[in-house]
Coordinates of all heavy atoms in Angstrom, one line a residue:
Chain D
E26 N 18.6 -13.4 -13.8 CA 17.4 -12.9 -14.5 C 16.5 -12.1 -13.5 O 15.8 -11.2 -13.8 CB 16.6 -14.0 -15.1 CG 15.2 -13.9 -15.4 CD 14.9 -12.8 -16.5 OE1 15.8 -12.4 -17.2 OE2 13.7 -12.3 -16.5
Q58 N 10.2 -17.0 -10.0 CA 10.1 -15.6 -10.4 C 8.6 -15.2 -10.7 O 8.1 -14.3 -10.4 CB 11.0 -15.3 -11.5 CG 10.9 -13.8 -11.9 CD 11.7 -13.6 -13.1 OE1 12.0 -14.5 -13.9 NE2 12.3 -12.4 -13.3
S59 N 8.0 -16.1 -11.4 CA 6.6 -15.8 -11.9 C 5.5 -16.0 -10.8 O 4.4 -15.6 -10.9 CB 6.3 -16.7 -13.1 OG 6.2 -18.0 -12.7
V61 N 6.2 -14.9 -7.5 CA 6.5 -14.1 -6.4 C 5.9 -12.7 -6.7 O 5.9 -12.1 -7.7 CB 8.1 -14.0 -6.2 CG1 8.4 -12.8 -5.3 CG2 8.6 -15.3 -5.7
I62 N 5.4 -12.2 -5.6 CA 4.9 -10.8 -5.5 C 5.6 -10.2 -4.2 O 5.3 -10.7 -3.1 CB 3.4 -10.6 -5.4 CG1 2.7 -11.3 -6.7 CG2 3.0 -9.1 -5.4 CD1 1.3 -11.4 -6.6
V71 N 13.1 1.6 -0.2 CA 11.8 2.1 -0.9 C 11.8 1.8 -2.4 O 10.8 1.5 -3.0 CB 11.6 3.6 -0.6 CG1 12.5 4.5 -1.3 CG2 10.1 4.0 -0.9
F72 N 13.0 1.8 -3.0 CA 13.1 1.5 -4.4 C 13.5 0.1 -4.7 O 14.1 -0.2 -5.8 CB 14.2 2.4 -5.0 CG 13.8 3.8 -5.2 CD1 14.5 4.8 -4.6 CD2 12.7 4.2 -5.9 CE1 14.1 6.1 -4.7 CE2 12.3 5.5 -6.0 CZ 13.0 6.5 -5.4
Y74 N 12.0 -2.3 -5.8 CA 11.5 -2.7 -7.1 C 12.2 -2.3 -8.3 O 12.0 -2.6 -9.4 CB 9.9 -2.4 -7.2 CG 9.7 -0.9 -6.9 CD1 9.8 0.0 -7.8 CD2 9.1 -0.6 -5.6 CE1 9.5 1.3 -7.6 CE2 8.8 0.7 -5.4 CZ 9.0 1.7 -6.4 OH 8.7 3.1 -6.2
N78 N 13.5 -8.0 -9.9 CA 12.8 -8.2 -11.1 C 11.6 -9.2 -11.0 O 11.5 -10.2 -11.6 CB 13.7 -8.8 -12.2 CG 13.1 -8.6 -13.6 OD1 12.2 -7.8 -13.8 ND2 13.7 -9.3 -14.6
V79 N 10.8 -8.7 -10.0 CA 9.5 -9.5 -9.7 C 8.3 -8.4 -9.6 O 8.7 -7.2 -9.4 CB 9.6 -10.3 -8.5 CG1 10.6 -11.5 -8.7 CG2 9.9 -9.5 -7.3
D80 N 7.1 -8.8 -9.7 CA 6.0 -7.9 -9.5 C 6.1 -7.4 -8.0 O 6.2 -8.2 -7.1 CB 4.7 -8.7 -9.7 CG 4.3 -8.7 -11.2 OD1 5.1 -8.3 -12.0 OD2 3.3 -9.3 -11.5
M81 N 5.9 -6.1 -7.9 CA 6.0 -5.5 -6.5 C 5.0 -4.4 -6.3 O 4.7 -3.8 -7.3 CB 7.4 -5.0 -6.3 CG 8.5 -6.2 -6.1 SD 10.1 -5.6 -5.5 CE 9.7 -5.6 -3.7
Q82 N 4.7 -4.2 -5.1 CA 3.9 -3.1 -4.7 C 4.6 -2.3 -3.5 O 5.1 -2.9 -2.6 CB 2.5 -3.6 -4.3 CG 1.6 -2.4 -3.9 CD 0.1 -2.8 -3.9 OE1 -0.2 -3.9 -4.2 NE2 -0.8 -1.9 -3.6
E83 N 4.5 -1.0 -3.7 CA 5.1 -0.2 -2.7 C 4.1 0.1 -1.6 O 3.0 0.6 -1.9 CB 5.5 1.2 -3.4 CG 5.9 2.3 -2.5 CD 7.2 2.0 -1.7 OE1 8.1 1.3 -2.3 OE2 7.2 2.3 -0.5
A84 N 4.5 -0.1 -0.4 CA 3.6 0.1 0.8 C 3.8 1.4 1.5 O 4.9 2.0 1.4 CB 3.7 -1.0 1.9
A85 N 2.8 1.9 2.2 CA 3.1 3.1 3.1 C 4.0 2.7 4.2 O 4.1 1.5 4.5 CB 1.8 3.6 3.5
R88 N 3.2 -0.4 6.6 CA 1.9 -1.1 6.3 C 2.2 -2.3 5.4 O 1.2 -2.9 4.9 CB 1.0 -0.2 5.6 CG 0.8 1.2 6.2 CD 0.1 1.1 7.5 NE 0.2 2.5 8.1 CZ 0.6 2.8 9.4 NH1 1.0 1.8 10.1 NH2 0.6 4.0 9.7
A91 N 0.2 -5.5 6.0 CA -1.3 -5.4 5.7 C -1.5 -5.5 4.1 O -2.4 -6.2 3.6 CB -1.9 -4.1 6.2
V92 N -0.5 -4.8 3.4 CA -0.6 -4.9 1.9 C -0.4 -6.3 1.5 O -1.1 -6.8 0.6 CB 0.4 -3.9 1.3 CG1 0.5 -4.1 -0.2 CG2 0.1 -2.5 1.7
T94 N -1.0 -9.0 3.1 CA -2.2 -9.7 3.5 C -3.2 -9.7 2.4 O -3.8 -10.6 1.9 CB -2.8 -9.3 4.9 OG1 -1.8 -9.5 5.8 CG2 -4.1 -10.0 5.2
G95 N -3.4 -8.3 1.9 CA -4.4 -8.1 0.9 C -4.0 -8.9 -0.4 O -4.9 -9.5 -1.0
I96 N -2.8 -8.8 -0.8 CA -2.4 -9.6 -2.0 C -2.6 -11.0 -1.8 O -3.2 -11.7 -2.7 CB -0.9 -9.2 -2.3 CG1 -0.7 -7.7 -2.5 CG2 -0.4 -10.0 -3.5 CD1 0.8 -7.3 -2.7
R98 N -4.5 -12.8 0.2 CA -5.8 -13.3 0.3 C -6.5 -13.4 -1.0 O -7.3 -14.2 -1.2 CB -6.5 -12.4 1.3 CG -6.1 -12.5 2.7 CD -6.3 -13.9 3.3 NE -6.0 -13.9 4.7 CZ -6.8 -14.2 5.7 NH1 -8.1 -14.4 5.4 NH2 -6.4 -14.2 6.9
V99 N -6.1 -12.5 -1.9 CA -6.9 -12.6 -3.3 C -6.0 -13.3 -4.3 O -6.6 -13.7 -5.4 CB -7.2 -11.2 -3.8 CG1 -8.2 -10.5 -2.8 CG2 -6.1 -10.3 -4.1
R100 N -4.8 -13.6 -4.0 CA -3.9 -14.4 -5.0 C -3.3 -15.5 -4.1 O -2.0 -15.5 -3.9 CB -2.9 -13.5 -5.6 CG -3.4 -12.3 -6.5 CD -3.9 -12.9 -7.8 NE -4.7 -11.7 -8.4 CZ -6.0 -11.7 -8.5 NH1 -6.7 -12.8 -8.1 NH2 -6.6 -10.8 -9.2
K103 N 0.0 -17.4 -5.0 CA 1.3 -16.7 -5.3 C 2.1 -16.7 -4.0 O 1.7 -17.0 -2.9 CB 1.0 -15.3 -5.6 CG 0.3 -15.1 -6.9 CD 1.1 -15.6 -8.1 CE 0.2 -15.7 -9.4 NZ 0.9 -16.4 -10.5
A120 N 1.9 -3.0 14.8 CA 0.6 -3.6 14.8 C 0.4 -4.5 13.6 O -0.1 -5.7 13.7 CB -0.5 -2.6 15.0
E121 N 0.7 -3.9 12.4 CA 0.4 -4.6 11.2 C 1.3 -6.0 11.1 O 0.8 -7.0 10.7 CB 0.8 -3.9 9.9 CG -0.3 -2.8 9.6 CD -0.2 -1.6 10.5 OE1 0.7 -1.5 11.4 OE2 -1.0 -0.6 10.2
H124 N -0.1 -8.6 13.9 CA -1.4 -9.1 13.6 C -1.3 -10.1 12.4 O -2.1 -11.0 12.3 CB -2.4 -8.0 13.4 CG -2.9 -7.6 14.8 ND1 -3.8 -8.3 15.5 CD2 -2.4 -6.5 15.6 CE1 -4.0 -7.6 16.7 NE2 -3.2 -6.6 16.7
R128 N -2.4 -13.8 12.6 CA -3.4 -14.5 11.7 C -2.8 -15.7 11.0 O -3.4 -16.4 10.3 CB -3.9 -13.5 10.7 CG -4.9 -12.5 11.2 CD -5.5 -11.7 10.0 NE -4.5 -11.1 9.2 CZ -4.1 -9.8 9.3 NH1 -4.6 -9.0 10.3 NH2 -3.2 -9.2 8.6
Chain P
A43 N -13.0 -9.2 -2.5 CA -12.6 -9.2 -1.1 C -13.1 -8.0 -0.4 O -13.2 -6.9 -1.0 CB -11.1 -9.3 -1.0
V69 N -13.5 -13.1 -0.3 CA -12.6 -13.1 0.9 C -13.2 -12.0 1.9 O -13.6 -10.9 1.3 CB -11.2 -12.7 0.5 CG1 -10.4 -12.3 1.7 CG2 -10.6 -13.8 -0.4
V71 N -12.0 -10.3 5.7 CA -11.1 -10.2 6.8 C -11.4 -9.1 7.7 O -11.5 -8.0 7.3 CB -9.6 -10.1 6.3 CG1 -8.6 -10.0 7.5 CG2 -9.2 -11.2 5.3
E74 N -7.0 -5.5 12.0 CA -6.7 -5.1 13.4 C -7.0 -3.6 13.5 O -6.9 -3.1 14.6 CB -5.3 -5.4 13.7 CG -4.2 -4.8 12.9 CD -3.8 -5.6 11.6 OE1 -4.7 -6.3 11.1 OE2 -2.7 -5.4 11.2
V77 N -6.6 1.3 9.6 CA -5.2 1.5 9.0 C -4.9 0.3 8.1 O -4.5 0.3 7.1 CB -4.2 2.0 9.9 CG1 -2.8 2.1 9.2 CG2 -4.6 3.3 10.6
A78 N -5.0 -0.8 8.9 CA -4.6 -2.1 8.2 C -5.6 -2.4 7.1 O -5.3 -2.9 6.0 CB -4.5 -3.2 9.3
N81 N -5.0 -0.7 3.9 CA -3.8 -1.2 3.3 C -4.0 -2.6 2.7 O -3.4 -2.9 1.8 CB -2.6 -1.1 4.2 CG -2.1 0.4 4.3 OD1 -1.5 0.9 3.4 ND2 -2.5 1.0 5.3
M82 N -4.9 -3.4 3.3 CA -5.2 -4.7 2.7 C -6.0 -4.4 1.4 O -5.7 -5.1 0.4 CB -6.0 -5.5 3.7 CG -5.3 -6.0 4.9 SD -6.4 -6.8 6.1 CE -5.3 -7.0 7.5
Y84 N -5.6 -1.8 -0.4 CA -4.5 -1.3 -1.4 C -3.8 -2.5 -2.0 O -3.6 -2.6 -3.2 CB -3.6 -0.4 -0.7 CG -2.3 0.1 -1.3 CD1 -2.4 0.7 -2.5 CD2 -1.1 -0.1 -0.7 CE1 -1.3 1.2 -3.2 CE2 0.1 0.4 -1.3 CZ 0.0 1.0 -2.5 OH 1.1 1.4 -3.1
G85 N -3.4 -3.5 -1.2 CA -2.7 -4.7 -1.7 C -3.6 -5.5 -2.6 O -3.1 -5.9 -3.7
A86 N -4.8 -5.7 -2.2 CA -5.7 -6.6 -3.0 C -6.0 -5.9 -4.3 O -6.1 -6.5 -5.3 CB -6.9 -6.9 -2.2
G88 N -4.2 -3.7 -5.8 CA -2.9 -3.8 -6.7 C -2.8 -5.2 -7.4 O -2.3 -5.3 -8.5
A89 N -3.3 -6.2 -6.7 CA -3.3 -7.5 -7.3 C -4.4 -7.8 -8.2 O -4.7 -8.8 -8.7 CB -3.3 -8.6 -6.2
G90 N -5.3 -6.7 -8.5 CA -6.3 -6.8 -9.5 C -7.7 -7.3 -9.0 O -8.4 -7.5 -9.9
A91 N -7.9 -7.3 -7.7 CA -9.1 -7.8 -7.3 C -10.1 -6.6 -7.1 O -9.8 -5.5 -7.0 CB -8.9 -8.4 -5.9
E107 N -4.7 8.0 5.0 CA -3.4 7.8 4.5 C -3.4 6.8 3.3 O -2.9 7.1 2.2 CB -2.5 7.1 5.6 CG -1.1 6.7 5.1 CD -0.4 5.8 6.1 OE1 -1.0 4.8 6.5 OE2 0.8 6.0 6.3
Y111 N -2.6 7.0 -1.0 CA -1.7 6.1 -1.8 C -2.5 5.4 -2.9 O -2.0 5.2 -4.0 CB -1.1 5.0 -0.9 CG 0.0 5.4 0.0 CD1 -0.1 6.4 1.0 CD2 1.3 4.9 -0.2 CE1 0.9 6.8 1.8 CE2 2.3 5.4 0.6 CZ 2.1 6.3 1.5 OH 3.2 6.8 2.3
I211 N -9.1 -9.5 -14.4 CA -7.9 -9.0 -13.8 C -7.1 -8.1 -14.8 O -6.8 -8.6 -15.9 CB -7.0 -10.3 -13.4 CG1 -7.8 -11.1 -12.4 CG2 -5.7 -9.7 -12.8 CD1 -7.0 -12.4 -12.0
T216 N -0.4 -6.9 -10.0 CA 0.7 -7.8 -9.6 C 0.2 -9.2 -9.5 O -0.5 -9.6 -8.5 CB 1.2 -7.4 -8.2 OG1 0.1 -7.4 -7.3 CG2 1.8 -6.0 -8.2
T217 N 0.5 -10.0 -10.5 CA 0.0 -11.4 -10.5 C 1.2 -12.3 -10.7 O 0.9 -13.5 -11.0 CB -1.0 -11.5 -11.6 OG1 -0.4 -11.0 -12.8 CG2 -2.3 -10.8 -11.4
G218 N 2.4 -11.9 -10.6 CA 3.6 -12.7 -10.9 C 4.2 -12.3 -12.2 O 3.4 -12.5 -13.2
K219 N 5.4 -12.0 -12.3 CA 6.1 -11.6 -13.5 C 6.3 -12.8 -14.4 O 7.0 -13.7 -14.0 CB 7.4 -10.9 -13.2 CG 8.0 -10.4 -14.5 CD 9.6 -10.2 -14.4 CE 10.3 -10.0 -15.7 NZ 9.9 -11.0 -16.7
R223 N 6.5 -10.4 -20.1 CA 6.3 -9.0 -19.8 C 7.4 -8.5 -18.7 O 7.9 -9.3 -18.1 CB 4.8 -8.7 -19.3 CG 4.5 -9.4 -18.0 CD 3.2 -8.7 -17.3 NE 2.7 -9.4 -16.2 CZ 3.1 -9.3 -15.0 NH1 4.2 -8.6 -14.6 NH2 2.5 -10.0 -14.0
S225 N 8.2 -6.6 -15.2 CA 7.6 -6.7 -13.9 C 6.6 -5.5 -13.7 O 6.8 -4.4 -14.1 CB 8.6 -6.6 -12.7 OG 9.4 -5.4 -12.8
N226 N 5.5 -5.9 -13.1 CA 4.4 -4.8 -12.7 C 4.7 -4.3 -11.4 O 4.9 -5.0 -10.4 CB 3.0 -5.5 -12.8 CG 2.5 -5.7 -14.1 OD1 3.0 -5.1 -15.1 ND2 1.5 -6.5 -14.3
V227 N 4.8 -2.9 -11.3 CA 5.1 -2.3 -10.1 C 3.9 -1.4 -9.7 O 3.6 -0.5 -10.5 CB 6.4 -1.6 -10.1 CG1 6.6 -0.6 -8.9 CG2 7.6 -2.5 -10.3
I228 N 3.4 -1.5 -8.5 CA 2.3 -0.6 -8.1 C 3.0 0.4 -7.1 O 3.5 -0.1 -6.0 CB 1.2 -1.4 -7.3 CG1 0.6 -2.5 -8.2 CG2 0.2 -0.4 -6.8 CD1 -0.2 -2.1 -9.3
T229 N 3.0 1.7 -7.4 CA 3.7 2.6 -6.5 C 3.0 3.9 -6.6 O 2.4 4.3 -7.5 CB 5.2 2.6 -6.8 OG1 5.8 3.4 -5.7 CG2 5.5 3.2 -8.1
L231 N 5.2 6.4 -5.5 CA 6.5 7.1 -5.3 C 7.1 7.5 -6.6 O 7.4 6.7 -7.4 CB 7.5 6.3 -4.5 CG 8.9 6.8 -4.3 CD1 8.9 8.0 -3.3 CD2 9.8 5.7 -3.8
I233 N 9.9 10.1 -7.3 CA 10.8 11.1 -6.4 C 11.2 12.3 -7.3 O 11.4 13.3 -6.7 CB 12.0 10.2 -5.9 CG1 12.6 11.0 -4.7 CG2 13.0 9.9 -6.9 CD1 12.5 10.2 -3.4

Side-chain angles (χ1 to χ4, degrees):
Chain D
E26 161 63 20
Q58 185 184 23
S59 64
V61 167
I62 302 170
V71 71
F72 288 121
Y74 51 81
N78 195 17
V79 293
D80 280 2
M81 288 194 82
Q82 182 159 357
E83 172 60 42
R88 316 292 175 232
V92 175
T94 297
I96 298 170
R98 291 296 182 115
V99 298
R100 300 282 168 252
K103 298 296 169 188
E121 284 80 359
H124 283 278
R128 285 190 302 269
Chain P
V69 169
V71 178
E74 63 271 27
V77 175
N81 282 284
M82 292 174 188
Y84 172 55
E107 173 198 49
Y111 280 65
I211 298 173
T216 56
T217 51
K219 185 205 169 305
R223 65 160 171 85
S225 58
N226 282 342
V227 173
I228 306 287
T229 187
L231 176 68
I233 203 121

